[in-house]
């Protein structure tokens, strides 16, 4: 069961090399396996699930912690009420919906739900 606030997914940029070279490195170094979702995205499930984004227009500049929510709208309200700044309002993506916010320290995180 997914729990509110649980660190659920981590997206990392893969724009400094090719997606294939990043996958090859982690496969060789740590025996990670990958599931491709199109030509620019490959997911991994190595303890904490995550994925690499090779499309420069879509890739985060820094690692992007992604939290899970059972009620995305309520969580968005809670983030705003706690002092977070919404930087990407709720949008759909393959697999669900999510939004991005920055915390008071300027860290960007995302929250997703089904």
């Amino acid at each position: 069961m997914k729990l509110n606030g649980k660190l659920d997914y981590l997206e990392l940029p893969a724009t400094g090399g090719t997606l294939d070279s990043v996958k090859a490195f982690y496969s060789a170094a740590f025996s990670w396996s990958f599931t491709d979702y199109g030509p620019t995205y490959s997911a991994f499930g190595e303890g904490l699930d995550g994925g690499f984004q090779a499309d420069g227009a879509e890739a985060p500049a820094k690692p992007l912690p992604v939290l899970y929510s059972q009620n995305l709208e309520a969580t968005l309200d809670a983030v705003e009420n706690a002092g977070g700044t919404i930087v990407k309002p709720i949008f759909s993506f393959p697999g669900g919906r999510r939004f991005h916010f920055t915390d008071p320290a300027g860290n960007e995180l995302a929250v997703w739900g089904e």
Side-chain angles (χ1 to χ4, degrees), residues 23 26-28 30-36 42-46 50 52:
K23 289 169 34 181
Y26 282 97
S27 179
F30 303 107
S31 300
W32 285 13
S33 59
F34 296 89
T35 302
D36 292 334
S42 190
F44 57 85
E46 305 300 333
F52 289 103

Side-chain angles (χ1 to χ4, degrees), residues 14-102:
T15 54
T18 66
L19 184 57
D20 287 342
S21 69
V22 172
K23 289 169 34 181
F25 168 77
Y26 282 97
S27 179
F30 303 107
S31 300
W32 285 13
S33 59
F34 296 89
T35 302
D36 292 334
Y37 292 98
T40 66
Y41 197 91
S42 190
F44 57 85
E46 305 300 333
L48 172 66
D49 289 344
F52 289 103
Q53 176 59 268
D55 182 340
E58 295 289 327
K62 303 177 213 174
L64 179 68
V66 181
L67 309 175
Y68 178 78
S69 172
Q70 294 173 335
N71 184 330
L72 208 55
E73 288 77 10
T75 302
L76 185 142
D77 289 343
V79 165
E80 287 184 312
N81 290 338
T85 301
I86 305 304
V87 295
K88 289 186 183 177
I90 295 173
F91 63 95
S92 295
F93 70 97
R97 299 180 311 134
R98 74 185 198 188
F99 68 90
H100 293 209
F101 69 94
T102 55

